[in-house]
């Protein structure tokens, strides 16, 4: 059974910018290795820093208003309690209620503004683009000094240890394959060499257009300079029955 297949990394990530900014640092080039949780690219997120500065000023103003509202409520409460025989005075009751409403509103606004400040501070840290995996940079779409927008695909990282062979097998041959079977690969880039692989799993979904099912194989032999997208011919070794071996 001769089948065409291709190599794909199962552990692959595209890095994106979370904020807009100017590229300040690039710590790795195409083809170089990066480590999990390492900073690959760093942006100079000036806009985010300015937003934090602006929000800090608003929070400080809100804090001053809150202190004023607290002082006013304390004063009205003291006046209200100064003459116990006059606590039903409509004017005193209204002034105390108004002071309490103002205090509650000012306090709620201060909390909202403080939360917004913390959120904006977190945005400034998003200028660092961090790799979630260890691997090799296979695509880098920026240079130092370039201004990037938010949500821009800036780099691709592949874990070479996660390479698998994806083989599309005719649905008529579905009963002839099973996990654990070995196969022989002949890569187009290395036509004189042969490599062993083993069926790891079979995807339980038929391609409606091509009427094929995908088998995913793990390489047994080391393939020099194996790369994403490499193609080959694959021959699955049919297990011989016990009687055939006697």
């Amino acid at each position: 059974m001769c089948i065409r297949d291709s190599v794909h990394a199962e552990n692959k990530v595209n890095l994106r910018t979370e904020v807009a900014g100017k590229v300040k640092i690039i710590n790795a080039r195409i083809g170089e290795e990066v480590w999990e949780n390492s900073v690959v690219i760093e942006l100079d997120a000036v806009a985010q820093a300015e937003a934090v500065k602006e929000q800090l000023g608003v929070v400080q103003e809100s804090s001053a208003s809150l202190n004023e509202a607290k002082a006013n409520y304390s004063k009205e409460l003291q006046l209200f309690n100064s003459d116990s025989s006059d606590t039903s005075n409509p004017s005193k009751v209204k002034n105390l209620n108004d002071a309490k409403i103002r205090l509650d509103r000012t306090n709620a606004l201060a909390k909202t503004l403080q939360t917004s400040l913390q959120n904006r501070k977190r945005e400034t840290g998003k200028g660092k683009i961090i790799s979630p995996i260890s691997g090799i940079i296979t695509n880098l779409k920026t240079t130092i000094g370039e201004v990037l927008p938010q949500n821009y695909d800036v780099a691709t990282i592949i874990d070479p240890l996660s390479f698998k062979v994806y083989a599309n097998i005719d649905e008529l041959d579905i009963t002839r394959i099973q996990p654990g079977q070995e196969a022989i690969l002949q890569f187009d880039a290395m036509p004189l060499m042969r490599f062993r692989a083993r069926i790891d799993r079979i995807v339980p979904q038929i391609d409606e257009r091509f009427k094929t099912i995908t088998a995913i194989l793990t390489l047994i032999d080391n393939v020099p300079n194996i790369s994403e997208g490499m193609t080959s011919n694959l021959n699955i070794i049919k297990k011989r029955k016990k009687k055939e071996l006697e």
Side-chain angles (χ1 to χ4, degrees):
M1 187 172 17
C2 185
I3 303 159
R4 290 293 291 172
D5 59 62
S6 57
V7 174
H8 298 282
E10 293 199 310
N11 202 7
K12 173 181 178 180
V13 295
N14 291 319
L15 301 184
R16 282 189 171 189
T17 58
E18 293 189 75
V19 295
K22 187 176 183 179
V23 178
K24 183 170 62 175
I25 298 172
I26 299 177
N27 289 320
R29 298 171 297 179
I30 290 179
E32 290 186 338
E33 187 174 7
V34 297
W35 301 100
E36 182 180 358
N37 296 324
S38 63
V39 177
V40 180
I41 298 169
E42 187 170 348
L43 305 180
D44 188 2
V46 176
Q48 286 69 38
E50 289 295 326
V52 169
K53 184 178 179 181
E54 179 183 341
Q55 187 68 18
L56 183 58
V58 173
V59 168
Q60 290 172 342
E61 290 179 6
S62 172
S63 179
S65 297
L66 180 59
N67 290 334
E68 183 182 335
K70 286 180 178 178
N72 183 60
Y73 176 73
S74 180
K75 183 187 75 171
E76 293 297 337
L77 184 60
Q78 188 175 5
L79 288 172
F80 184 82
N81 293 327
S82 62
D83 186 356
S84 59
S85 63
D86 196 29
T87 54
S88 60
N89 186 309
S91 178
K92 279 190 172 183
V93 172
K94 182 179 184 305
N95 289 341
L96 181 62
N97 287 340
D98 288 348
K100 182 64 168 63
I101 291 171
R102 180 189 172 193
L103 175 60
D104 289 344
R105 287 177 177 174
T106 307
N107 189 41
L109 178 60
K111 289 181 178 179
T112 299
L113 293 174
Q114 185 65 39
T115 299
S116 179
L117 175 62
Q118 296 305 316
N119 289 338
R120 292 194 179 188
K121 283 183 176 179
R122 281 192 287 271
E123 287 292 312
T124 60
K126 292 180 180 179
K128 293 182 178 180
I129 302 174
I130 297 172
S131 174
I133 65 171
S134 295
I136 305 294
I137 294 183
T138 59
N139 192 15
L140 185 63
K141 299 191 289 186
T142 189
T143 56
I144 291 177
E146 184 179 3
V147 177
L148 301 179
Q150 186 179 21
N151 293 325
Y152 177 75
D153 281 331
V154 70
T156 301
I157 297 174
I158 285 177
D159 177 6
L161 298 179
S162 71
F163 279 132
K164 299 284 185 181
V165 176
Y166 281 62
N168 295 318
I169 298 170
D170 192 294
E171 65 177 344
L172 298 177
D173 294 321
I174 194 172
T175 58
R176 300 171 60 188
I177 61 170
Q178 61 183 355
Q181 276 182 282
E182 289 194 8
I184 302 298
L185 284 79
Q186 178 187 13
F187 287 99
D188 295 347
M190 296 169 274
L192 300 181
M193 302 178 71
R194 302 291 185 274
F195 301 93
R196 293 176 301 157
R198 180 180 292 110
I199 296 178
D200 181 40
R201 57 192 188 275
I202 299 167
V203 180
Q205 176 68 50
I206 298 290
D207 186 300
E208 294 184 3
R209 180 181 176 187
F210 297 105
K211 301 301 180 183
T212 57
I213 192 168
T214 300
I216 301 172
L217 297 88
T218 298
L219 288 161
I220 298 173
D221 298 325
N222 178 55
V223 180
N225 298 320
I226 187 171
S227 303
E228 173 93 354
M230 284 179 65
T231 54
S232 73
N233 288 317
L234 178 148
N235 281 288
I236 295 177
I237 301 173
K238 184 180 177 182
K239 287 187 176 180
R240 289 183 293 175
K241 296 179 181 179
K242 186 175 181 181
K243 287 184 178 180
E244 295 176 347
L245 298 174
E246 292 176 349

PDB file of all heavy atoms in Angstrom, residues 49-61:
ATOM      1  N   ALA A  49       1.977  53.217  28.086  1.00  0.00           N
ATOM      2  CA  ALA A  49       2.594  53.935  29.199  1.00  0.00           C
ATOM      3  C   ALA A  49       1.943  55.300  29.398  1.00  0.00           C
ATOM      4  O   ALA A  49       1.710  55.739  30.535  1.00  0.00           O
ATOM      5  CB  ALA A  49       4.093  54.091  28.935  1.00  0.00           C
ATOM      6  N   GLU A  50       1.616  55.986  28.297  1.00  0.00           N
ATOM      7  CA  GLU A  50       0.946  57.281  28.383  1.00  0.00           C
ATOM      8  C   GLU A  50      -0.456  57.127  28.961  1.00  0.00           C
ATOM      9  O   GLU A  50      -0.928  57.973  29.726  1.00  0.00           O
ATOM     10  CB  GLU A  50       0.881  57.933  27.000  1.00  0.00           C
ATOM     11  CG  GLU A  50       2.219  58.435  26.482  1.00  0.00           C
ATOM     12  CD  GLU A  50       2.778  59.563  27.339  1.00  0.00           C
ATOM     13  OE1 GLU A  50       1.972  60.360  27.871  1.00  0.00           O
ATOM     14  OE2 GLU A  50       4.012  59.636  27.493  1.00  0.00           O
ATOM     15  N   ALA A  51      -1.122  56.035  28.593  1.00  0.00           N
ATOM     16  CA  ALA A  51      -2.470  55.786  29.111  1.00  0.00           C
ATOM     17  C   ALA A  51      -2.447  55.564  30.618  1.00  0.00           C
ATOM     18  O   ALA A  51      -3.342  56.017  31.342  1.00  0.00           O
ATOM     19  CB  ALA A  51      -3.083  54.568  28.404  1.00  0.00           C
ATOM     20  N   VAL A  52      -1.423  54.863  31.101  1.00  0.00           N
ATOM     21  CA  VAL A  52      -1.272  54.642  32.543  1.00  0.00           C
ATOM     22  C   VAL A  52      -1.057  55.968  33.256  1.00  0.00           C
ATOM     23  O   VAL A  52      -1.656  56.246  34.304  1.00  0.00           O
ATOM     24  CB  VAL A  52      -0.108  53.674  32.833  1.00  0.00           C
ATOM     25  CG1 VAL A  52       0.225  53.664  34.328  1.00  0.00           C
ATOM     26  CG2 VAL A  52      -0.448  52.275  32.370  1.00  0.00           C
ATOM     27  N   LYS A  53      -0.198  56.807  32.689  1.00  0.00           N
ATOM     28  CA  LYS A  53       0.093  58.116  33.282  1.00  0.00           C
ATOM     29  C   LYS A  53      -1.172  58.972  33.367  1.00  0.00           C
ATOM     30  O   LYS A  53      -1.449  59.615  34.379  1.00  0.00           O
ATOM     31  CB  LYS A  53       1.167  58.825  32.454  1.00  0.00           C
ATOM     32  CG  LYS A  53       1.630  60.153  33.037  1.00  0.00           C
ATOM     33  CD  LYS A  53       2.725  60.757  32.167  1.00  0.00           C
ATOM     34  CE  LYS A  53       3.171  62.113  32.729  1.00  0.00           C
ATOM     35  NZ  LYS A  53       4.232  62.707  31.863  1.00  0.00           N
ATOM     36  N   GLU A  54      -1.940  58.968  32.286  1.00  0.00           N
ATOM     37  CA  GLU A  54      -3.180  59.740  32.248  1.00  0.00           C
ATOM     38  C   GLU A  54      -4.189  59.218  33.267  1.00  0.00           C
ATOM     39  O   GLU A  54      -4.831  59.980  33.991  1.00  0.00           O
ATOM     40  CB  GLU A  54      -3.767  59.674  30.840  1.00  0.00           C
ATOM     41  CG  GLU A  54      -5.083  60.412  30.679  1.00  0.00           C
ATOM     42  CD  GLU A  54      -5.679  60.258  29.293  1.00  0.00           C
ATOM     43  OE1 GLU A  54      -4.936  59.900  28.362  1.00  0.00           O
ATOM     44  OE2 GLU A  54      -6.895  60.483  29.151  1.00  0.00           O
ATOM     45  N   GLN A  55      -4.328  57.869  33.328  1.00  0.00           N
ATOM     46  CA  GLN A  55      -5.279  57.265  34.250  1.00  0.00           C
ATOM     47  C   GLN A  55      -4.871  57.500  35.700  1.00  0.00           C
ATOM     48  O   GLN A  55      -5.724  57.682  36.578  1.00  0.00           O
ATOM     49  CB  GLN A  55      -5.400  55.760  33.971  1.00  0.00           C
ATOM     50  CG  GLN A  55      -6.478  55.050  34.767  1.00  0.00           C
ATOM     51  CD  GLN A  55      -7.875  55.480  34.367  1.00  0.00           C
ATOM     52  OE1 GLN A  55      -8.069  56.048  33.288  1.00  0.00           O
ATOM     53  NE2 GLN A  55      -8.843  55.236  35.223  1.00  0.00           N
ATOM     54  N   LEU A  56      -3.581  57.535  35.958  1.00  0.00           N
ATOM     55  CA  LEU A  56      -3.093  57.791  37.315  1.00  0.00           C
ATOM     56  C   LEU A  56      -3.531  59.181  37.783  1.00  0.00           C
ATOM     57  O   LEU A  56      -3.926  59.369  38.941  1.00  0.00           O
ATOM     58  CB  LEU A  56      -1.572  57.680  37.348  1.00  0.00           C
ATOM     59  CG  LEU A  56      -0.905  57.859  38.720  1.00  0.00           C
ATOM     60  CD1 LEU A  56      -1.434  56.831  39.713  1.00  0.00           C
ATOM     61  CD2 LEU A  56       0.611  57.730  38.590  1.00  0.00           C
ATOM     62  N   GLY A  57      -3.474  60.165  36.872  1.00  0.00           N
ATOM     63  CA  GLY A  57      -3.930  61.509  37.210  1.00  0.00           C
ATOM     64  C   GLY A  57      -5.409  61.541  37.543  1.00  0.00           C
ATOM     65  O   GLY A  57      -5.833  62.215  38.500  1.00  0.00           O
ATOM     66  N   VAL A  58      -6.217  60.782  36.779  1.00  0.00           N
ATOM     67  CA  VAL A  58      -7.655  60.723  37.025  1.00  0.00           C
ATOM     68  C   VAL A  58      -7.938  60.072  38.383  1.00  0.00           C
ATOM     69  O   VAL A  58      -8.808  60.513  39.130  1.00  0.00           O
ATOM     70  CB  VAL A  58      -8.356  59.935  35.897  1.00  0.00           C
ATOM     71  CG1 VAL A  58      -9.834  59.721  36.217  1.00  0.00           C
ATOM     72  CG2 VAL A  58      -8.213  60.663  34.574  1.00  0.00           C
ATOM     73  N   VAL A  59      -7.166  59.016  38.707  1.00  0.00           N
ATOM     74  CA  VAL A  59      -7.342  58.326  39.994  1.00  0.00           C
ATOM     75  C   VAL A  59      -7.000  59.250  41.153  1.00  0.00           C
ATOM     76  O   VAL A  59      -7.685  59.265  42.195  1.00  0.00           O
ATOM     77  CB  VAL A  59      -6.478  57.052  40.037  1.00  0.00           C
ATOM     78  CG1 VAL A  59      -6.409  56.491  41.458  1.00  0.00           C
ATOM     79  CG2 VAL A  59      -7.042  56.000  39.092  1.00  0.00           C
ATOM     80  N   GLN A  60      -5.956  60.031  41.005  1.00  0.00           N
ATOM     81  CA  GLN A  60      -5.571  60.966  42.060  1.00  0.00           C
ATOM     82  C   GLN A  60      -6.649  62.024  42.288  1.00  0.00           C
ATOM     83  O   GLN A  60      -6.947  62.384  43.430  1.00  0.00           O
ATOM     84  CB  GLN A  60      -4.236  61.620  41.702  1.00  0.00           C
ATOM     85  CG  GLN A  60      -3.052  60.653  41.788  1.00  0.00           C
ATOM     86  CD  GLN A  60      -1.764  61.240  41.256  1.00  0.00           C
ATOM     87  OE1 GLN A  60      -1.774  62.242  40.523  1.00  0.00           O
ATOM     88  NE2 GLN A  60      -0.640  60.623  41.592  1.00  0.00           N
ATOM     89  N   GLU A  61      -7.245  62.526  41.196  1.00  0.00           N
ATOM     90  CA  GLU A  61      -8.344  63.482  41.326  1.00  0.00           C
ATOM     91  C   GLU A  61      -9.543  62.845  42.019  1.00  0.00           C
ATOM     92  O   GLU A  61     -10.207  63.463  42.863  1.00  0.00           O
ATOM     93  CB  GLU A  61      -8.754  63.993  39.946  1.00  0.00           C
ATOM     94  CG  GLU A  61      -7.727  64.906  39.285  1.00  0.00           C
ATOM     95  CD  GLU A  61      -8.172  65.358  37.902  1.00  0.00           C
ATOM     96  OE1 GLU A  61      -9.331  65.036  37.522  1.00  0.00           O
ATOM     97  OE2 GLU A  61      -7.383  66.021  37.210  1.00  0.00           O
TER      98      GLU A  61
END
